[in-house]
């Protein structure tokens, strides 16, 4: 853990200047070995110094070197940033020199990892930084920035404070049972507060699921029998929105063939390879497989032909997607209507051939995921699966609190579950310390012997 | 193992100080068969209660029971000296109930002295201790004020508030201990020279009023419980319910508040004295502190507590102050019923030296000097019960060390005593430390009712619980299991009679058969109802144990699961020879604290404030790499 790491921290080849970041105990010493100019060990911290990078006597580049000494740096270690004059060759050469002189190439996210391990940022912020690095759309970038700046931490810290207030009041009733000066926390009062907490936590979870959508995109599957027009519809969507290059390796186990950005949101089209090549998902991989795909998807687009009647398979799929986010696309409305559908279904009538109804489809998707609302709200939510799952555990603990209340348990038993909620929230931001509670107890209540 | 051939050693263990810690330490050591000397400045002050006349209270009452289960004396002694006793929090759950007694300030010390005098292997000497004999960082005895040296294998310091004690009243500072006793002027200086960090603490005590000058008609009476109670598991009640002495409740007045505000700058703490260094207890602020900090409160509660049947002093709980005496007169006379009160003793604050408890091991042996143990207020705690339990543990562990055995270290999920000592040695203190239920993470496991179940085995193993008592204890444990089994094997069915009875007691009729064990899980059902179905002949405390374990089963299981996580971390030992300098990237604050506190386990390290989870993961990585550390 103690070694010094280096990496190019700007996109290679883009822009006139590249920055190489070095972090670790020996950062300054190592850079000194390849640097000609002022003595870097004696310059003030947080200064920018002009000089040259040399390989033995050969000058590689004129550079600006920022010296930032621990602990006021991103990693809380000594950090040196070398501003090189762009160009892949020069930048790589400088990095190579650093590695030759004792640096190790940083693993992805290692600077952030160090910042976390050294207590510079909390878990949520660390997650945010990682998200920021991986952000693909402006919305996900905003979301990540919100995490980095600690908005999410603040939200949870506030929630925990509310709980600490309740806990402290209960505790003080226990420790000073005869003091009437102190408000006695009754079951009714706890009940009210628990409802309040439940709403807050629910709200964060709901928003967070949105956050997950923003960050990871909406897993979308287009299914339907052969020749209903799946690929035409896909192509229309892609034409409209310009698909992101199709060679992006999926970050999940899904093979993501196409990505469409819909008003700033990503639609990940799952396994469209099958659809596009054979145009025949149901036949080629069978109903069973398509059903399992449906299971995994956030959104199912089920395409039917206006000109054909429903088959048994169609009915089976309709039944299956009843409880999913799904849109039934009735394609080929230019042809004679032979299809009979229940009007209650979420239907878009469309003609891919004539480019009719594509806008309605997009609106429908936005409506389904309330994308407009997400856009309007501030982007303060949890976006990691870890945080969301802890938050859901907190909700379960809230249920236990309520169960205790309903079973007439004494308040000090109920408090055990409430404390659990507090601990779980603390786990999300990586901070749980009991002293908080004791301090609260003393600062808010008037006690004495 | 110690060198028993060192000179002509007269004593194996010397206990310095005869307060609540000293008494327990000396008794434990002597009862374990070690030749023990208790040195005290004044034999008449042995087991003295210089502050409030009560034993127990929230959390503290549970500690008294823990002391009793381990074979200590405080519970028994309190039971012999009661003026009144009650169960606190009886309306709340079983985890937070605790006993509190008013104890007679004459009888309590007298009974304790009697016990000490009748304990074999124990001698008492009246003298002031001003230095230690220390050789190679190992303590070898004590040096008295007159230069006399007394040698021993171990020394236990229980000096209370006597180290460089200053009494503060208004603008006067007087070098003296409680009751004007002589303080120890040099011992803390010597401790500093030996390498202890000496800190200054402060506490205070309110006025004592002549009972005959109080108009009790203006007060509200507070009686003891209408049910016989004892601290000790091994004592029959020594009092009569109807003869309990009441306390009385009054409130401060608008006038009291005004007097305090008008004279604030005369209080020692608010400018009367400019050289106050001692940090006072947060949980026990002076009345001027309360008025200033909670200025929106119109009135504050005060309890008038009798000190003894043998004299007339009434203690005003909640009125501690360091105002000058003329202001104290006015303050007292502003209270309802006390308009003509005669003040017998004025309130005062006391400043004293203590050592940094982070320099102690979990056994209460100091890290600075081997074979030297400390207990009670010298370790920064406050309260008779906190002192007594440390004295007991120090006495036990000094003895165990002499015997070449491992120390008795109670875990946080085993006893409040474990919580207290772990807090002291791991977190250290800023203000005098008082036990609170909120300091215990697993308080559902640390109940008043199960202290014997938790700790009697330890008491027996160290030799402080005799066979007779241990057999009784084992019978109780057997009875508990037997009764549970009985309840599990007896089933009732939804007959007409049964359901009529069940509905008559406000419960819901049965649909299927149910064991009595499951029936008892219903909140409204208790053993009186169960007795309708089967004959139950067990002691009340057996019934209580079984009832609690059935009713709160779900919560107890949760607490045990949480506690297990902590135990797992506590079982991950950190080797003694670890060099934190070799762990790079440790935050410097964490490194400094780890070096100072030398935690023995990952669990303890995690509890040090300033050591964050990231530091812990670095230590784990290091241990795995350097010590081929597996999850031991």
């Amino acid at each position: 853990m103690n070694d010094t790491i280096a990496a190019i921290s700007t996109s290679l080849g883009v822009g006139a200047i590249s920055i190489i970041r070095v972090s670790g105990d020996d950062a300054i010493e190592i850079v000194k070995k390849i640097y000609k100019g002022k003595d870097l060990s004696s310059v003030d911290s947080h200064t920018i110094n002009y000089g040259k990078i040399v390989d033995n006597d050969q000058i590689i580049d004129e550079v600006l070197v920022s010296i930032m000494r621990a602990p006021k740096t991103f990693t809380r270690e000594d950090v040196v940033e070398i501003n090189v004059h762009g160009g892949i060759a020069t930048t790589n050469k400088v990095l190579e020199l650093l590695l030759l002189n004792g640096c190790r190439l940083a693993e992805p996210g290692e600077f952030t990892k160090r910042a976390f391990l050294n207590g510079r940022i909390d878990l949520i912020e660390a997650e945010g930084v990682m998200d920021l690095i991986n952000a693909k759309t402006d919305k996900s970038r905003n979301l990540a920035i919100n995490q980095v700046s600690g908005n999410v931490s603040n939200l949870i810290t506030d929630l925990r404070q509310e709980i600490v207030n309740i806990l402290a009041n209960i505790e003080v009733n226990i420790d000073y049972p005869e003091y009437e000066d102190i408000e006695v926390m009754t079951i009714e009062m706890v009940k009210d507060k628990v409802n309040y907490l439940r709403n807050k936590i629910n709200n964060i979870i709901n928003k967070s699921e949105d956050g997950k959508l923003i960050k990871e995109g909406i897993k979308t599957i287009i299914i339907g029998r052969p020749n209903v027009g799946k690929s035409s519809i896909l192509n229309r969507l892609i034409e409209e929105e310009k698909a992101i290059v199709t060679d992006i390796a999926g970050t999940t186990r899904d093979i993501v063939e196409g990505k469409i950005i819909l008003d700033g949101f990503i639609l990940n089209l799952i396994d469209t390879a099958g659809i596009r090549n054979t145009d025949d998902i149901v036949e080629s991989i069978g109903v069973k497989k398509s059903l399992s795909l449906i299971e995994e998807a956030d959104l199912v687009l089920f395409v039917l032909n206006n000109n054909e009647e429903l088959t048994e398979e169609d009915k089976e799929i309709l039944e299956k997607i009843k409880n999913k986010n799904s849109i039934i696309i009735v394609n080929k409305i230019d042809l004679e209507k032979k299809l009979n559908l229940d009007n209650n279904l979420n239907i878009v009538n469309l003609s891919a051939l004539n480019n009719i109804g594509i806008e309605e489809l997009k609106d429908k998707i936005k409506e389904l995921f309330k994308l407009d609302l997400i856009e309007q709200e501030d982007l303060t939510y949890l976006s990691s699966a870890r945080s969301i799952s802890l938050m859901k555990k907190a909700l379960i603990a809230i249920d236990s609190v309520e169960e205790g209340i309903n079973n007439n348990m004494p308040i000090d038993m109920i408090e055990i579950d409430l404390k659990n909620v507090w601990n779980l929230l603390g786990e999300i931001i990586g901070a749980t310390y009991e002293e908080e509670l004791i301090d609260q107890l003393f600062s808010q209540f008037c006690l004495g012997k | 193992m110690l060198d028993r051939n060192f000179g002509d050693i007269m004593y194996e263990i010397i206990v310095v100080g005869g307060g609540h810690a000293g008494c327990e330490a000396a008794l434990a050591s002597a009862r374990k068969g070690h030749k023990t000397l208790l040195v005290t400045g004044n034999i008449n002050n042995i087991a003295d209660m210089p502050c409030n006349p009560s034993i127990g209270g929230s959390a503290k009452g549970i500690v008294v029971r823990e002391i009793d289960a381990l074979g200590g004396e405080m519970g028994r002694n309190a039971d012999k000296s009661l003026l009144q006793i009650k169960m606190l929090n009886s309306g709340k759950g079983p985890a937070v109930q605790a006993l509190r007694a008013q104890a007679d300030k004459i009888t309590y010390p007298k009974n304790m002295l009697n016990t000490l005098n009748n304990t074999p292997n124990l001698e008492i000497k009246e003298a002031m201790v001003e230095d230690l004999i220390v050789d190679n960082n190992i303590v070898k005895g004590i040096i008295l004020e007159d230069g006399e040296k007394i040698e021993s294998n171990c020394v236990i310091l229980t000096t209370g508030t006597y180290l460089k004690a200053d009494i503060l009243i208004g603008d006067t500072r007087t070098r003296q201990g409680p009751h004007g006793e002589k303080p120890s002027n040099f011992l803390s200086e010597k401790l500093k020279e030996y390498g202890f960090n000496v800190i200054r603490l402060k506490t205070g005590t309110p006025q004592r009023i002549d009972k005959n000058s109080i108009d009790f008609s203006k007060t509200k009476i507070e009686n003891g419980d209408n049910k016989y109670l004892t601290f000790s598991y091994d004592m029959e009640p020594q009092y009569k319910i109807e003869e309990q002495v009441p306390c009385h409740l009054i409130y401060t007045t608008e006038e009291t508040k005004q007097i305090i505000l008008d004279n604030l700058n005369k209080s020692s703490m608010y400018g009367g004295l400019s050289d106050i260094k001692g940090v006072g207890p947060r949980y026990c602020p002076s009345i001027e502190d309360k008025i200033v900090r909670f200025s929106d409160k119109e009135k504050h509660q005060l309890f008038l507590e009798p000190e003894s049947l043998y004299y007339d002093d009434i203690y005003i709980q909640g009125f501690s102050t360091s105002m000058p005496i003329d202001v104290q007169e006015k303050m007292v006379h502003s209270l309802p019923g006390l308009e003509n009160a005669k003040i017998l003793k004025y309130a005062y604050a006391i400043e004293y030296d203590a050592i940094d408890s982070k320099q102690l091991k979990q056994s209460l042996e100091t890290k600075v000097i081997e074979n030297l143990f400390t207990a009670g207020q010298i370790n920064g705690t406050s309260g008779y019960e906190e002192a007594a339990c440390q004295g007991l543990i120090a006495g036990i562990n000094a003895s165990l060390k002499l015997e070449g055995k491992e120390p008795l270290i109670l875990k946080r999920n085993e006893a409040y005593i474990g919580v207290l000592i772990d807090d002291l040695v791991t977190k250290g203190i800023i203000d005098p430390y008082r036990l609170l239920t909120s300091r215990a993470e697993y308080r559902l496991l640390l109940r008043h009712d199960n202290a014997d179940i938790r700790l009697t085995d330890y008491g027996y193993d160290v030799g402080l619980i005799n066979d007779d008592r241990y057999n009784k204890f084992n019978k109780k444990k057997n009875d508990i299991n037997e009764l549970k089994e009985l309840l599990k094997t007896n089933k009732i069915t939804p007959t007409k009679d049964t359901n009529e009875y069940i509905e008559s007691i406000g419960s819901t009729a049965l649909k299927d058969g149910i064991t009595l064990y499951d029936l008892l899980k219903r909140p409204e059902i208790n053993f009186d109802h169960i007795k309708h179905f089967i004959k139950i002949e067990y002691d009340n405390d057996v019934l209580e144990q079984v009832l609690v374990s059935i009713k709160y089963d779900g919560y107890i299981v949760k607490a045990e699961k949480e506690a297990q996580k902590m135990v797992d971390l506590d079982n991950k030992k950190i080797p003694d020879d670890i060099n934190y300098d070799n762990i790079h990237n440790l935050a410097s604050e964490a490194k400094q604290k780890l070096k100072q506190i030398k935690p023995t386990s990952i669990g303890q390290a995690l509890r040090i404030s300033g050591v964050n989870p990231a530091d812990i993961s670095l230590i784990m990585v290091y241990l795995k790499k350097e010590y081929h550390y597996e999850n031991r």
Side-chain angles (χ1 to χ4, degrees):
Chain A
M1 296 296 298
N2 57 328
D3 51 359
T4 299
I5 52 172
I8 299 163
S9 61
T10 44
S11 304
L12 256 187
V14 184
I17 302 280
S18 294
I19 298 173
I20 298 170
R21 180 184 278 175
V22 186
S23 175
D25 290 351
D26 300 327
I28 297 172
E29 280 309 307
I30 294 173
V31 174
K32 262 174 75 179
K33 292 186 198 165
I34 62 166
Y35 173 84
K36 224 171 155 177
K38 265 190 260 177
D39 179 7
L40 294 178
S41 17
S42 58
V43 302
D44 289 340
S45 185
H46 294 76
T47 56
I48 297 173
N49 305 279
Y50 169 80
K52 295 181 181 73
I53 295 293
V54 292
D55 179 8
N56 292 322
D57 289 332
Q58 189 196 348
I59 295 170
I60 306 296
D61 195 8
E62 277 181 284
V63 293
L64 291 174
V65 174
S66 312
I67 298 290
M68 290 160 279
R69 291 202 175 80
K72 284 188 177 168
T73 69
F74 176 61
T75 54
R76 288 234 166 128
E77 300 171 337
D78 284 349
V79 170
V80 180
E81 287 183 354
I82 309 174
N83 291 254
V84 193
H85 282 105
I88 297 173
T90 314
T91 313
N92 273 341
K93 178 70 190 171
V94 176
L95 180 63
E96 195 186 309
L97 282 174
L98 287 169
L99 299 183
L100 279 174
N101 281 285
C103 285
R104 177 170 64 73
L105 187 62
E107 291 157 17
E110 198 172 357
F111 290 103
T112 311
K113 186 171 150 198
R114 288 189 175 198
F116 167 66
L117 283 179
N118 294 330
R120 164 71 175 72
I121 55 177
D122 70 24
L123 261 186
I124 287 229
E125 289 171 326
E127 280 171 358
V129 172
M130 295 311 291
D131 289 348
L132 192 57
I133 293 164
N134 298 325
K136 294 181 187 74
T137 65
D138 284 345
K139 277 206 178 60
S140 56
R141 191 173 298 275
N142 287 341
L143 179 62
I145 286 170
N146 259 331
Q147 294 217 354
V148 178
S149 62
N151 277 0
V152 183
S153 301
N154 289 343
L155 198 71
I156 291 173
T157 306
D158 289 351
L159 215 49
R160 293 183 86 223
Q161 187 59 44
E162 307 259 7
I163 300 175
V164 164
N165 289 344
I166 308 173
L167 292 178
N169 202 149
I170 297 175
E171 301 271 331
V172 90
N173 291 155
I174 293 167
D175 277 320
Y176 297 87
E178 290 167 320
Y179 275 80
E180 306 160 353
D181 295 15
I182 306 149
E183 181 184 35
V184 174
M185 183 63 72
T186 61
I187 292 284
E188 280 64 39
M189 290 161 71
V190 175
K191 217 169 179 171
D192 285 349
K193 305 223 172 187
V194 164
N195 278 333
Y196 168 83
L197 286 173
R198 177 193 295 284
N199 287 339
K200 281 268 181 179
I201 290 177
N202 254 331
N203 205 1
I204 294 177
I205 291 176
N206 289 340
K207 282 178 155 198
S208 300
E209 311 243 283
D210 294 345
K212 202 165 139 257
L213 285 185
I214 295 173
K215 196 180 119 193
E216 291 170 6
I218 301 167
K219 279 191 204 170
T220 310
I221 174 171
I222 305 182
I223 54 172
R225 278 184 290 119
N227 297 319
V228 290
K230 295 186 295 290
S231 52
S232 324
I233 294 168
L234 180 66
N235 286 333
R236 281 290 177 198
L237 282 171
I238 290 173
E239 258 170 52
E240 288 286 322
E241 303 294 342
K242 295 187 197 78
I244 304 175
V245 277
T246 53
D247 61 350
I248 296 169
T251 46
T252 63
R253 61 202 168 90
D254 303 313
I255 304 150
V256 178
E257 180 65 19
K259 268 179 193 280
I260 297 164
I261 295 180
L262 185 66
D263 279 9
F265 292 91
I266 305 165
L267 286 195
N268 290 315
L269 296 159
I270 306 170
D271 209 0
T272 52
I275 303 168
R276 282 215 261 174
N277 290 343
T278 68
D279 206 302
D280 192 0
I281 184 166
V282 176
E283 252 173 36
S284 68
I285 50 178
V287 175
K288 204 172 156 202
K289 173 69 180 162
S290 64
L291 290 185
S292 86
L293 285 175
I294 290 171
E295 203 62 54
E296 292 166 21
D298 295 321
L299 171 64
V300 179
L301 301 178
F302 183 32
V303 186
L304 292 168
N305 186 345
N306 185 46
N307 194 231
E308 291 171 1
E309 288 178 28
L310 280 182
T311 65
E312 281 310 307
E313 279 172 355
D314 289 340
K315 285 179 190 161
E316 203 177 315
I317 289 176
L318 276 176
E319 186 58 31
K320 185 76 189 173
I321 63 176
K322 220 167 53 182
N323 297 319
K324 295 239 20 150
N325 279 323
S326 58
I327 297 171
I328 293 152
I329 300 173
V330 178
N331 191 21
K332 309 192 184 183
I333 51 166
D334 45 321
L335 300 178
E336 183 197 342
K337 180 174 176 175
K338 289 184 182 165
L339 186 70
N340 267 319
L341 276 179
D342 184 348
N343 281 334
N344 293 331
L345 293 169
N346 197 9
I347 298 170
V348 177
N349 292 309
L350 178 148
S351 166
L353 184 70
N354 301 324
N355 200 8
I356 296 169
I358 293 292
E359 281 309 312
E360 283 81 351
L361 174 62
K362 289 195 307 193
D363 287 346
K364 213 57 165 199
I365 295 173
K366 282 195 259 180
E367 190 187 313
L368 205 56
F369 289 93
K370 302 193 174 69
L371 295 184
D372 292 342
L373 283 180
I374 292 178
E375 217 169 344
Q376 285 158 18
E377 287 178 50
D378 71 306
L379 295 162
T380 306
Y381 10 101
L382 305 164
S383 65
S384 84
R386 182 190 73 90
S387 312
I388 295 176
S389 106
L390 281 167
M391 203 49 124
K392 286 185 174 165
K393 277 192 195 161
L395 198 61
I396 293 170
I398 288 268
D399 287 339
S400 305
V401 174
E402 211 145 46
E403 200 188 309
I405 292 174
N406 293 336
N407 285 332
N408 291 321
M409 281 293 159
I411 198 154
D412 46 289
M413 296 285 167
I414 289 163
E415 196 206 356
I416 293 174
D417 286 318
L418 201 53
K419 211 163 178 181
N420 191 20
V421 179
W422 183 72
N423 274 325
L424 287 165
L425 295 180
E427 245 180 87
I428 297 179
I429 53 173
T432 295
Y433 42 101
E434 295 286 300
E435 274 302 298
E436 235 172 70
L437 196 64
I438 306 262
D439 288 342
Q440 186 72 12
L441 207 142
F442 291 128
S443 65
Q444 291 204 341
F445 301 100
C446 169
L447 312 162
K449 77 174 178 185
Chain B
M1 200 50 201
L2 290 159
D3 176 12
R4 292 235 186 180
N5 299 319
F6 176 76
D8 295 321
I9 285 181
M10 293 169 66
Y11 300 101
E12 294 181 271
I13 293 175
I14 294 176
V15 178
V16 180
H20 302 283
C23 289
E24 295 290 351
L27 283 172
S29 151
R31 283 168 175 168
K32 276 175 66 44
H34 298 289
K35 204 160 163 36
T36 306
L37 177 70
L38 174 67
V39 185
T40 172
N42 182 349
I43 288 181
N44 294 324
N45 275 339
I46 278 188
D48 177 42
M49 299 197 283
C51 198
N52 56 329
S54 75
I55 302 280
S58 187
K60 292 147 86 85
I62 302 178
V63 168
V64 178
R65 292 212 127 193
E66 291 179 350
I67 291 171
D68 186 65
L70 289 169
E73 194 60 28
M74 180 172 249
R76 299 172 60 85
N77 204 61
D79 284 335
K80 292 180 204 164
S81 325
L82 297 182
L83 292 175
Q84 161 191 130
I85 187 165
K86 58 163 71 172
M87 181 68 84
L88 299 176
N89 286 326
S90 53
K92 299 195 179 83
V96 297
Q97 293 176 5
L99 288 172
R100 197 201 49 215
Q102 300 301 132
D104 190 306
K105 282 197 180 186
I106 295 289
T107 319
Y108 187 94
K110 209 176 102 193
N111 286 332
M112 186 62 87
L113 183 60
N114 200 22
T115 303
L116 294 173
N117 282 332
N118 288 304
T119 300
N121 305 319
L122 178 57
E123 285 174 39
I124 303 175
K125 184 181 173 73
E126 215 170 66
M128 291 304 290
V129 176
E130 293 292 5
D131 198 359
L132 302 170
I133 309 170
V134 179
D135 182 22
N136 251 334
N137 288 330
I138 302 174
V139 76
K140 304 277 182 182
I142 55 169
I143 304 173
L144 304 182
E145 196 178 22
D146 62 5
E148 187 192 343
K149 292 183 178 180
I150 307 176
E151 289 169 348
S152 68
N153 297 118
C154 286
V155 173
I156 304 174
L157 294 179
T158 62
T159 53
T161 58
Y162 281 82
L163 294 183
K164 278 205 194 162
D166 281 344
I167 297 284
L168 317 172
I169 300 176
D171 60 357
T172 62
R173 170 189 287 276
T174 322
R175 175 59 48 102
Q176 59 183 19
H179 313 304
E181 290 288 326
K182 200 170 153 188
S184 163
N185 280 315
F186 303 105
L187 189 53
S188 61
E189 282 306 316
K190 295 290 180 187
L191 291 174
K192 213 183 276 181
E193 284 170 24
Y194 293 129
F196 286 97
N197 303 321
V198 172
I199 58 173
R200 195 102 176 122
L201 296 174
K202 175 178 79 71
T203 186
T205 193
Q207 301 83 357
R208 312 299 199 271
I209 308 296
D210 186 342
K211 181 167 74 183
N212 305 309
S213 67
I214 299 174
D215 178 1
F216 286 103
S217 68
K218 295 183 178 171
T219 67
K220 183 176 164 270
I221 193 160
E222 298 268 315
N223 285 313
D225 277 2
N226 211 358
K227 174 184 163 190
Y228 281 109
L229 299 163
T230 59
F231 281 111
S232 174
Y233 288 95
D234 200 30
M235 287 280 279
E236 294 302 320
Q238 309 282 306
Y239 66 101
K240 293 207 167 63
I241 285 177
E242 62 279 10
E243 287 174 8
Q244 293 182 88
V245 184
C247 295
H248 295 84
L249 171 64
I250 56 169
Y251 295 91
T252 59
T253 60
E254 189 54 41
E255 194 192 343
T256 321
K257 188 174 174 179
Q258 203 51 52
I259 294 168
I260 289 170
L261 289 175
D262 288 348
N263 292 283
L264 205 52
N265 60 350
K266 292 183 189 159
S267 160
S268 308
M269 304 302 141
Y270 283 86
L273 279 172
S274 55
D275 58 348
I276 303 262
K277 288 200 193 75
V279 184
R282 283 182 291 182
Y283 54 83
C284 176
S286 63
I287 186 71
E288 49 264 37
D289 264 350
K290 288 197 246 180
I291 300 268
V292 170
R293 282 171 56 200
F294 303 95
S295 55
D296 55 326
K297 284 244 183 295
E298 278 172 33
K299 56 181 189 177
H300 295 271
Q301 260 177 327
L302 303 172
F303 291 94
L304 304 177
E305 303 183 357
E307 292 212 331
S308 173
L309 290 176
Y310 302 96
Y311 60 89
D312 291 335
D313 289 29
I314 296 285
Y315 174 98
I316 318 182
Q317 164 159 310
F319 214 53
S320 103
T321 179
S322 55
M323 286 285 189
I325 53 176
D326 59 319
V327 181
Q328 289 195 31
E329 288 279 353
K330 286 188 203 157
M331 284 161 60
V332 167
H333 293 145
S334 72
L335 300 173
L338 278 74
E339 293 83 357
N340 300 307
K342 189 174 152 207
I343 303 179
L344 298 174
K345 285 181 197 132
Y346 290 99
Y348 61 84
I350 183 165
E351 254 194 2
Y352 56 98
D353 281 351
I355 60 166
D356 179 354
S357 57
K358 295 199 292 295
Q359 292 178 300
L360 301 176
K361 300 179 187 173
Q362 299 265 1
S363 61
L364 294 182
E365 185 182 9
T366 72
K367 294 172 190 166
V368 180
I369 297 177
E370 200 180 334
N371 293 346
L372 178 67
F373 293 74
T374 58
Q377 278 166 311
I378 189 173
N379 290 346
T381 59
S382 149
Y384 311 145
E385 304 81 0
E386 286 87 342
C389 74
Q390 290 174 67
L392 176 63
I393 296 292
I396 289 173
N397 284 335
S399 307
L400 289 172
K401 184 143 193 205
L402 286 175
E403 295 157 18
K405 293 180 184 158
E406 287 294 308
L408 173 65
I409 293 166
L410 300 172
K411 288 191 188 311
R412 298 183 73 90
N413 60 330
E414 289 180 317
Y416 272 96
I417 300 174
V419 172
L420 180 145
I421 294 175
D422 185 58
D423 278 352
L424 286 183
V425 307
T426 307
K427 294 176 179 162
I429 58 115
I430 301 161
D431 59 333
Y433 178 101
R434 177 186 167 165
L435 257 183
L436 301 160
T437 56
S438 39
R439 295 196 195 268
E441 302 87 337
Y442 316 109
R443 63 164 181 249
L444 184 52
L445 306 179
L446 308 184
R447 300 189 308 272
H448 152 89
D449 63 81
N450 70 354
D452 58 339
I453 306 283
R454 290 185 272 128
L455 301 173
T456 306
D457 282 328
Y458 290 123
Y460 180 73
D461 287 345
V462 297
L464 292 179
I465 296 288
N466 62 29
D467 285 341
D468 184 35
R469 184 165 168 191
Y470 194 55
N471 291 339
K472 269 193 234 163
F473 164 71
N474 279 326
K475 177 173 184 307
K476 179 177 171 184
K477 275 211 307 200
N478 281 338
D479 284 355
I480 289 170
N481 290 333
E482 222 176 79
L483 177 55
K484 281 189 189 167
E485 214 38 52
L486 185 72
L487 294 168
K488 278 180 185 166
T489 46
N490 272 285
K491 212 169 176 180
I492 49 170
T493 47
T495 61
K496 187 165 169 279
D497 279 0
T498 299
N499 272 342
E500 262 175 26
Y501 174 71
I502 286 183
E503 283 181 332
S504 76
I505 55 173
S507 196
T508 32
L510 303 179
K511 283 196 185 103
D512 302 306
I514 184 173
T515 63
L516 292 176
Y517 190 92
D518 285 335
L519 183 68
L520 209 46
K521 284 184 177 166
R522 296 185 173 188
E524 63 281 2
I525 302 290
N526 61 42
F527 269 111
D528 287 341
H529 307 129
I530 297 294
K531 283 175 182 164
H532 180 84
F533 301 106
I534 51 165
K535 205 166 146 189
I536 289 176
E537 283 171 330
Y538 288 97
D539 287 350
N540 275 335
D541 45 345
V542 171
L543 299 186
E544 188 188 0
Q545 274 293 298
V546 172
L547 191 68
V548 168
S549 67
I550 295 177
K551 288 253 188 266
Y552 303 106
D553 182 48
Y555 289 96
I556 292 172
V557 167
K558 265 185 225 171
E560 279 171 347
K561 226 166 105 188
E562 281 300 308
Q564 191 55 44
K565 284 189 207 161
M566 180 211 65
V567 170
D568 289 345
L569 286 173
D570 279 352
N571 286 338
K572 292 189 201 308
K573 298 294 174 205
I574 299 178
D576 288 343
D577 61 348
I578 189 169
N579 182 352
Y580 289 104
D581 286 328
N582 290 343
I583 309 177
H584 295 271
N585 285 349
L586 269 186
S588 52
E589 186 196 354
K591 194 181 282 187
Q592 183 239 323
K593 291 237 171 105
L594 288 163
K595 280 181 177 178
Q596 186 197 1
I597 295 165
K598 301 192 181 78
T600 53
S601 70
I602 290 290
Q604 195 193 351
L606 191 54
R607 288 192 291 274
I608 298 173
S609 65
V611 176
N612 63 36
D615 297 313
I616 296 297
S617 49
L618 292 175
I619 297 171
M620 286 302 289
V621 168
Y622 177 78
L623 288 178
K624 277 188 182 143
K625 212 168 66 187
E626 296 297 317
Y627 291 82
H628 307 290
Y629 191 86
E630 290 310 316
N631 288 351
R632 274 182 276 177

